[in-house]
Amino acid sequence: MSDPDPICPLCLRPIPEDAKQSLHHLIPRLRGGKGGPTVLLHQICHNEIHATFTETELAREFNTPEALRAHPRMEGFLKWVAKRPPNFHKRSAGGRRKR
């Protein structure tokens, strides 16, 4: 019997082996997070984080899955993506991030 798929701490859906996925540094590497805690996310969830927040915002305020999920834009994204299959992927709208 194989191990169950890991659960994305952002959208709380399983991450199947064939799903696009990546590690997210809870504190960005450029803001002192190199070697710090990481979480495995769906690639689409990871893209949405970086389309929404600056590195500074991630380091200061949004450095836990709970804080990320509580942000209004992320809440809307998570409601939308929850209706998609676990291996669903599309390009993020992006373009809104400020540096």
Side-chain angles (χ1 to χ4, degrees):
M1 190 168 142
S2 63
D3 291 333
D5 292 329
I7 301 297
C8 177
L10 201 61
C11 71
L12 307 177
R13 297 176 303 144
I15 306 173
E17 219 175 274
D18 66 338
K20 292 186 180 198
Q21 54 190 274
S22 63
L23 284 177
H24 171 65
H25 287 80
L26 289 171
I27 296 174
R29 289 175 298 194
L30 296 173
R31 295 287 182 262
K34 190 173 183 186
T38 60
V39 290
L40 182 68
L41 302 173
H42 290 103
Q43 185 66 52
I44 193 170
C45 295
H46 197 186
N47 292 353
E48 190 66 18
I49 289 170
H50 289 285
T52 302
F53 304 105
T54 65
E55 302 286 300
T56 300
E57 288 170 330
L58 288 170
R60 287 185 184 159
E61 297 175 64
F62 300 100
N63 50 28
T64 67
E66 296 76 21
L68 291 164
R69 284 197 308 266
H71 186 275
R73 177 173 163 177
M74 293 303 296
E75 280 182 341
F77 165 79
L78 294 170
K79 281 182 187 159
W80 174 81
V81 84
K83 299 174 189 148
R84 307 297 181 277
N87 59 357
F88 173 81
H89 183 80
K90 79 173 201 64
R91 287 187 50 133
S92 178
R96 298 185 204 166
R97 182 168 74 166
K98 49 200 180 306
R99 293 250 170 217

